[in-house]
Amino acid sequence: MIFPLLAPERADEFQLRVSKARLAMSDAGVDALLVASTVNIFYLTGGVCRGYVYLPVEGEPLFFVIPPAAPSAPVMRAIRKPEQIPGMLEAEGYTLPERVGLEFDDLLYSDVERLRKVFPASEVRDGSTPLRAARLTKTPLEISMMKTDGMKQCAVYSRIDRCYEEDMTDLEFQIEIERVLRKEGCLGYLRVAGSRMEINMGSVIAGPNADAPSPYDFSMGGAGVDPSLPVGASGTIMKPGMTVMVDMNGGFNGYQTDMTRCWYLGDVPELAVRAHECSRAILRDLESFARPGVEIGEMYRRAVRMAEETGLSAYFMGHGHKAGFIGHGVGIQLNEAPVVMERNKSLLQENMTIALEPKFVIPGTGAVGVENTYVVRPGGLENITAFREQLVQLV
Amino acid sequence: MIFPLLAPERADEFQLRVSKARLAMSDAGVDALLVASTVNIFYLTGGVCRGYVYLPVEGEPLFFVIPPAAPSAPVMRAIRKPEQIPGMLEAEGYTLPERVGLEFDDLLYSDVERLRKVFPASEVRDGSTPLRAARLTKTPLEISMMKTDGMKQCAVYSRIDRCYEEDMTDLEFQIEIERVLRKEGCLGYLRVAGSRMEINMGSVIAGPNADAPSPYDFSMGGAGVDPSLPVGASGTIMKPGMTVMVDMNGGFNGYQTDMTRCWYLGDVPELAVRAHECSRAILRDLESFARPGVEIGEMYRRAVRMAEETGLSAYFMGHGHKAGFIGHGVGIQLNEAPVVMERNKSLLQENMTIALEPKFVIPGTGAVGVENTYVVRPGGLENITAFREQLVQLV
């Protein structure tokens, strides 16, 4: 197994991430984190294995790995089970933590309870919050990895027109797009935070399916094709008069970009075209308005206001039912902090990476709108999924 | 949203599953379960939504659903948040449970802690164990759904030969198989239990990649193509002298079958052919040996013994490192109980569904072996993935 951040040439990056986590640990009042989730082990080491990163506020972090992983860097130690960790820490001169952080939002209940017993004398506090805080802004390496995702995702989107054949269903269209994605290097697996999302390669939504309610926290739901996975393409045959929204997986390297573009068949009502252009206008507005220090909720309110002023409120972020956000952080997970919603009073920070997706559902026609992934820069938002945004006819 | 088990014509099936869960709840000493995980809500209702099934040992179960889901069956009630549940139960004449079961192995720590506060006067116990026990044996409807999966998976496997082109990588081969699976109706999303598996559409492993260690609990690992997802196809160009093992997603309806077949290129050593035939012989032996009442560990030991007697121990279930099991339950999740491993002293029960996968890794050549999914019947195992098992040459 490979842990790129533990390689000598990545020592600075490892230290940077450790420093960011430590800053947040002090705020959370924990002396050490015992990190066990795949996403946070990947964040701290650049790789995935069964094991635990022990990250004290002071002193060297250690990475305890379980076979088949074996130590391959100075900070790595071999264990068979987590119960060995305290003894090994003490043998190396560490003081066991008074307050240890475990990932309440990233681990199963039974996993946290097992790890709690590993440190019987320690008070257990939430370790997910400081790690989420560390991951809220991205390092230059993370941003460069996400730019790679964006370039590959744009390359795939440039080939979507050619995936279409007449009388296809939305699902058949999606399957051809999946293949192009996979051939470009998409890993085909999206990590999501929490328990309110289940998704594979993304979502293609044609016509009225755009307004079908889904139990998941996606901006546009879709009914899916089976009650066991009620999301996305529904098997709708794509017909003239429909729009088709493509919001497919942009994960190529453990990070991802999130990107939506729309197509249409035959003629669609002027209302759909106007709504699509309003989405683009909202993005243009937010790209220059949003910068470090701006209240995140204000982005949401500006978008809502622009939809209102264009007379499109009834369609904004859904028609029959509405999503309560217009964007979200993205990185290792598809749905990271911050959520761009009305009541988010926190401020944008430089090097946050956020997807903005002001979308509309036009009854009888389908969804329209554009989603891009951005890096928050001092002067505004940098679009890392820059690609043709127009509604394009599928022929 | 659709909840097939709550439809009047499925009332018997719903009652059967409720009865199975109640039997296990008595053993676990809980008066009620509050079920919140996707997998167990799907088990109890046939659909997926944000919501909670309240299942008391006595009295009618209730299904509390959060928008966009809305009540569409007599047992459904609308809520905005779980904190409303106790008041609504009391208003309908229910006594709140003294001991409530929450899914310790299926929910995030923070989700269990939130639900614990919903019943402040109740003792909280593990609710995952009784639900796992209920799901351990399948109902006739579940078995018929899995037979559908098996038929579709076999139909796909019959088209795998045609996915091959000369000089393909394992990953390119896998991508073409994924497309055939998706076109057959595979949902492209596999639910797994616990935190030790991350997988999308399955695994194609060619040549020496069969012995690359993976951190996940798969029988054969594979290095993957990126450190963020170290499993499966590694980008190996498939060459003469290699075997290619295909263990791809069999999920079409919320259930799934698990099935592996092997191919080879050019000439492979007689050792590989012998090991492949040994895998088939082990399956034939277990198909008649295994039946209700047989100790599960004894299946494992018989398989190990047959590999030994054929002089193939060094290659059985891996060469450089070995998996400690030869099979596992399968159903809504890919990795259900029971695990077919040496120390499992529990007994086979009628209508368990298990995947058996006695596999070998031949150094320098690759993996061989067959995996089928079976229903445990009074007279032995019924193979629901019956399809040509021979090593077939890819041309």
Side-chain angles (χ1 to χ4, degrees), chain A residues 1-34:
Chain A
M1 266 146 277
I2 297 164
F3 304 97
L5 297 186
L6 305 184
E9 64 273 22
R10 287 287 186 214
D12 289 354
E13 179 73 18
F14 178 66
Q15 283 308 325
L16 177 58
R17 296 192 194 185
V18 164
S19 306
K20 292 179 77 179
R22 280 180 169 155
L23 207 63
M25 287 163 66
S26 303
D27 294 345
V30 295
D31 311 318
L33 295 175
L34 187 67

Tab-separated table of all heavy atoms in Angstrom, chain A residues 1-34:
chain	number	residue	atom	x	y	z
A	1	MET	N	0.832	-1.195	0.000
A	1	MET	CA	0.000	0.000	0.000
A	1	MET	C	0.869	1.248	0.000
A	1	MET	O	1.954	1.254	0.558
A	1	MET	CB	-0.922	-0.017	1.215
A	1	MET	CG	-2.270	-0.616	0.887
A	1	MET	SD	-2.965	-1.533	2.255
A	1	MET	CE	-2.124	-3.103	2.016
A	2	ILE	N	0.360	2.285	-0.633
A	2	ILE	CA	1.137	3.494	-0.876
A	2	ILE	C	0.518	4.643	-0.069
A	2	ILE	O	-0.692	4.839	-0.097
A	2	ILE	CB	1.101	3.835	-2.384
A	2	ILE	CG1	1.759	2.714	-3.171
A	2	ILE	CG2	1.785	5.163	-2.656
A	2	ILE	CD1	1.425	2.762	-4.653
A	3	PHE	N	1.373	5.365	0.644
A	3	PHE	CA	0.933	6.521	1.434
A	3	PHE	C	1.742	7.734	0.993
A	3	PHE	O	2.727	8.090	1.641
A	3	PHE	CB	1.090	6.220	2.925
A	3	PHE	CG	0.356	4.985	3.331
A	3	PHE	CD1	1.011	3.761	3.422
A	3	PHE	CD2	-1.009	5.030	3.556
A	3	PHE	CE1	0.314	2.606	3.750
A	3	PHE	CE2	-1.713	3.877	3.887
A	3	PHE	CZ	-1.048	2.659	3.983
A	4	PRO	N	1.327	8.372	-0.113
A	4	PRO	CA	2.169	9.417	-0.721
A	4	PRO	C	2.599	10.519	0.241
A	4	PRO	O	3.706	11.039	0.111
A	4	PRO	CB	1.275	9.971	-1.839
A	4	PRO	CG	0.380	8.832	-2.190
A	4	PRO	CD	0.107	8.115	-0.907
A	5	LEU	N	1.744	10.895	1.197
A	5	LEU	CA	2.118	12.023	2.056
A	5	LEU	C	3.200	11.649	3.058
A	5	LEU	O	3.770	12.516	3.713
A	5	LEU	CB	0.894	12.554	2.809
A	5	LEU	CG	-0.214	13.126	1.944
A	5	LEU	CD1	-1.284	13.751	2.815
A	5	LEU	CD2	0.331	14.159	0.974
A	6	LEU	N	3.479	10.342	3.200
A	6	LEU	CA	4.522	9.919	4.136
A	6	LEU	C	5.871	9.770	3.439
A	6	LEU	O	6.865	9.443	4.075
A	6	LEU	CB	4.125	8.610	4.821
A	6	LEU	CG	2.767	8.654	5.538
A	6	LEU	CD1	2.506	7.345	6.262
A	6	LEU	CD2	2.692	9.819	6.514
A	7	ALA	N	5.896	9.997	2.133
A	7	ALA	CA	7.171	9.957	1.404
A	7	ALA	C	7.989	11.196	1.761
A	7	ALA	O	7.418	12.272	1.990
A	7	ALA	CB	6.904	9.913	-0.097
A	8	PRO	N	9.320	11.056	1.833
A	8	PRO	CA	10.151	12.201	2.243
A	8	PRO	C	9.875	13.467	1.422
A	8	PRO	O	9.852	14.573	1.974
A	8	PRO	CB	11.580	11.694	2.012
A	8	PRO	CG	11.479	10.210	2.050
A	8	PRO	CD	10.114	9.864	1.545
A	9	GLU	N	9.613	13.296	0.127
A	9	GLU	CA	9.416	14.492	-0.704
A	9	GLU	C	8.070	15.177	-0.425
A	9	GLU	O	7.836	16.283	-0.929
A	9	GLU	CB	9.558	14.150	-2.192
A	9	GLU	CG	8.525	13.196	-2.752
A	9	GLU	CD	8.906	11.717	-2.584
A	9	GLU	OE1	9.731	11.402	-1.691
A	9	GLU	OE2	8.364	10.886	-3.346
A	10	ARG	N	7.215	14.536	0.344
A	10	ARG	CA	5.940	15.170	0.697
A	10	ARG	C	5.896	15.578	2.176
A	10	ARG	O	4.812	15.826	2.729
A	10	ARG	CB	4.767	14.218	0.422
A	10	ARG	CG	4.447	14.030	-1.045
A	10	ARG	CD	3.779	15.255	-1.628
A	10	ARG	NE	3.352	15.019	-3.000
A	10	ARG	CZ	3.356	15.957	-3.935
A	10	ARG	NH1	3.760	17.191	-3.658
A	10	ARG	NH2	2.951	15.677	-5.147
A	11	ALA	N	7.053	15.603	2.828
A	11	ALA	CA	7.074	15.886	4.270
A	11	ALA	C	6.413	17.224	4.597
A	11	ALA	O	5.710	17.363	5.599
A	11	ALA	CB	8.509	15.856	4.787
A	12	ASP	N	6.603	18.230	3.731
A	12	ASP	CA	6.012	19.542	4.005
A	12	ASP	C	4.485	19.473	3.974
A	12	ASP	O	3.810	20.092	4.794
A	12	ASP	CB	6.474	20.570	2.962
A	12	ASP	CG	7.942	20.920	3.144
A	12	ASP	OD1	8.549	20.461	4.139
A	12	ASP	OD2	8.473	21.642	2.282
A	13	GLU	N	3.972	18.739	3.002
A	13	GLU	CA	2.518	18.618	2.882
A	13	GLU	C	1.936	17.906	4.107
A	13	GLU	O	0.908	18.316	4.658
A	13	GLU	CB	2.156	17.854	1.599
A	13	GLU	CG	0.671	17.651	1.372
A	13	GLU	CD	-0.063	18.932	0.954
A	13	GLU	OE1	0.604	19.895	0.513
A	13	GLU	OE2	-1.303	18.958	1.099
A	14	PHE	N	2.607	16.835	4.536
A	14	PHE	CA	2.158	16.100	5.718
A	14	PHE	C	2.139	17.041	6.927
A	14	PHE	O	1.150	17.111	7.666
A	14	PHE	CB	3.086	14.899	5.953
A	14	PHE	CG	2.753	14.083	7.166
A	14	PHE	CD1	1.570	13.368	7.241
A	14	PHE	CD2	3.634	14.029	8.236
A	14	PHE	CE1	1.262	12.609	8.367
A	14	PHE	CE2	3.341	13.267	9.367
A	14	PHE	CZ	2.153	12.567	9.426
A	15	GLN	N	3.218	17.790	7.111
A	15	GLN	CA	3.290	18.715	8.250
A	15	GLN	C	2.218	19.799	8.161
A	15	GLN	O	1.633	20.200	9.172
A	15	GLN	CB	4.687	19.352	8.340
A	15	GLN	CG	5.750	18.429	8.912
A	15	GLN	CD	5.357	17.804	10.249
A	15	GLN	OE1	4.695	18.427	11.074
A	15	GLN	NE2	5.728	16.547	10.457
A	16	LEU	N	1.951	20.254	6.943
A	16	LEU	CA	0.917	21.281	6.763
A	16	LEU	C	-0.447	20.765	7.215
A	16	LEU	O	-1.182	21.431	7.950
A	16	LEU	CB	0.890	21.700	5.285
A	16	LEU	CG	-0.174	22.713	4.854
A	16	LEU	CD1	-0.061	24.006	5.655
A	16	LEU	CD2	-0.043	23.002	3.348
A	17	ARG	N	-0.777	19.549	6.791
A	17	ARG	CA	-2.094	18.994	7.163
A	17	ARG	C	-2.161	18.737	8.668
A	17	ARG	O	-3.175	18.980	9.314
A	17	ARG	CB	-2.384	17.728	6.360
A	17	ARG	CG	-2.481	18.043	4.875
A	17	ARG	CD	-3.045	16.903	4.067
A	17	ARG	NE	-2.807	17.156	2.645
A	17	ARG	CZ	-3.262	16.403	1.657
A	17	ARG	NH1	-3.989	15.326	1.924
A	17	ARG	NH2	-3.006	16.700	0.401
A	18	VAL	N	-1.049	18.225	9.224
A	18	VAL	CA	-1.001	17.989	10.673
A	18	VAL	C	-1.189	19.317	11.417
A	18	VAL	O	-1.947	19.397	12.397
A	18	VAL	CB	0.337	17.308	11.044
A	18	VAL	CG1	0.609	17.410	12.542
A	18	VAL	CG2	0.323	15.841	10.587
A	19	SER	N	-0.547	20.368	10.933
A	19	SER	CA	-0.671	21.680	11.602
A	19	SER	C	-2.107	22.183	11.552
A	19	SER	O	-2.620	22.725	12.535
A	19	SER	CB	0.223	22.721	10.920
A	19	SER	OG	1.533	22.275	10.850
A	20	LYS	N	-2.744	22.023	10.397
A	20	LYS	CA	-4.127	22.480	10.266
A	20	LYS	C	-5.040	21.719	11.242
A	20	LYS	O	-5.911	22.312	11.883
A	20	LYS	CB	-4.624	22.270	8.830
A	20	LYS	CG	-3.939	23.169	7.817
A	20	LYS	CD	-4.453	22.888	6.408
A	20	LYS	CE	-5.822	23.505	6.195
A	20	LYS	NZ	-6.340	23.270	4.841
A	21	ALA	N	-4.819	20.401	11.346
A	21	ALA	CA	-5.633	19.613	12.268
A	21	ALA	C	-5.367	20.042	13.705
A	21	ALA	O	-6.293	20.174	14.523
A	21	ALA	CB	-5.350	18.121	12.082
A	22	ARG	N	-4.106	20.296	14.041
A	22	ARG	CA	-3.774	20.666	15.425
A	22	ARG	C	-4.410	21.988	15.835
A	22	ARG	O	-4.852	22.150	16.967
A	22	ARG	CB	-2.255	20.752	15.572
A	22	ARG	CG	-1.642	19.385	15.732
A	22	ARG	CD	-0.132	19.468	15.870
A	22	ARG	NE	0.375	18.158	16.292
A	22	ARG	CZ	1.610	17.728	16.053
A	22	ARG	NH1	2.473	18.499	15.413
A	22	ARG	NH2	1.985	16.534	16.477
A	23	LEU	N	-4.434	22.923	14.902
A	23	LEU	CA	-5.062	24.211	15.187
A	23	LEU	C	-6.523	23.988	15.589
A	23	LEU	O	-7.009	24.554	16.575
A	23	LEU	CB	-4.989	25.067	13.913
A	23	LEU	CG	-4.974	26.578	14.053
A	23	LEU	CD1	-3.732	27.035	14.813
A	23	LEU	CD2	-4.978	27.216	12.652
A	24	ALA	N	-7.194	23.121	14.832
A	24	ALA	CA	-8.608	22.864	15.117
A	24	ALA	C	-8.771	22.017	16.380
A	24	ALA	O	-9.787	22.113	17.069
A	24	ALA	CB	-9.256	22.172	13.921
A	25	MET	N	-7.790	21.172	16.686
A	25	MET	CA	-7.857	20.353	17.901
A	25	MET	C	-7.833	21.230	19.141
A	25	MET	O	-8.529	20.960	20.118
A	25	MET	CB	-6.683	19.375	17.945
A	25	MET	CG	-6.812	18.232	16.952
A	25	MET	SD	-5.221	17.391	16.683
A	25	MET	CE	-4.934	16.656	18.298
A	26	SER	N	-7.023	22.268	19.112
A	26	SER	CA	-6.965	23.168	20.269
A	26	SER	C	-8.344	23.781	20.495
A	26	SER	O	-8.833	23.824	21.627
A	26	SER	CB	-5.928	24.262	20.028
A	26	SER	OG	-4.681	23.685	19.758
A	27	ASP	N	-8.974	24.235	19.413
A	27	ASP	CA	-10.326	24.796	19.541
A	27	ASP	C	-11.293	23.772	20.122
A	27	ASP	O	-12.211	24.119	20.858
A	27	ASP	CB	-10.850	25.234	18.162
A	27	ASP	CG	-10.044	26.395	17.584
A	27	ASP	OD1	-9.295	27.031	18.357
A	27	ASP	OD2	-10.159	26.641	16.372
A	28	ALA	N	-11.114	22.500	19.761
A	28	ALA	CA	-12.042	21.458	20.204
A	28	ALA	C	-11.678	20.905	21.582
A	28	ALA	O	-12.407	20.083	22.130
A	28	ALA	CB	-12.071	20.324	19.170
A	29	GLY	N	-10.548	21.350	22.118
A	29	GLY	CA	-10.171	20.912	23.458
A	29	GLY	C	-9.782	19.451	23.554
A	29	GLY	O	-10.075	18.780	24.543
A	30	VAL	N	-9.131	18.920	22.525
A	30	VAL	CA	-8.641	17.536	22.609
A	30	VAL	C	-7.113	17.544	22.574
A	30	VAL	O	-6.498	18.374	21.909
A	30	VAL	CB	-9.198	16.622	21.482
A	30	VAL	CG1	-10.700	16.462	21.628
A	30	VAL	CG2	-8.835	17.140	20.105
A	31	ASP	N	-6.511	16.613	23.319
A	31	ASP	CA	-5.046	16.501	23.368
A	31	ASP	C	-4.520	15.633	22.233
A	31	ASP	O	-3.337	15.695	21.892
A	31	ASP	CB	-4.586	15.839	24.670
A	31	ASP	CG	-5.238	16.465	25.870
A	31	ASP	OD1	-5.334	17.702	25.890
A	31	ASP	OD2	-5.668	15.710	26.771
A	32	ALA	N	-5.379	14.775	21.734
A	32	ALA	CA	-4.951	13.869	20.661
A	32	ALA	C	-6.176	13.400	19.900
A	32	ALA	O	-7.283	13.344	20.446
A	32	ALA	CB	-4.210	12.662	21.240
A	33	LEU	N	-5.962	13.069	18.635
A	33	LEU	CA	-6.996	12.409	17.835
A	33	LEU	C	-6.541	10.992	17.555
A	33	LEU	O	-5.354	10.755	17.284
A	33	LEU	CB	-7.182	13.114	16.479
A	33	LEU	CG	-7.720	14.542	16.460
A	33	LEU	CD1	-7.690	15.076	15.023
A	33	LEU	CD2	-9.143	14.571	17.007
A	34	LEU	N	-7.488	10.046	17.614
A	34	LEU	CA	-7.218	8.720	17.072
A	34	LEU	C	-8.116	8.595	15.836
A	34	LEU	O	-9.335	8.464	15.949
A	34	LEU	CB	-7.517	7.610	18.082
A	34	LEU	CG	-7.077	6.223	17.602
A	34	LEU	CD1	-5.549	6.140	17.510
A	34	LEU	CD2	-7.608	5.134	18.533
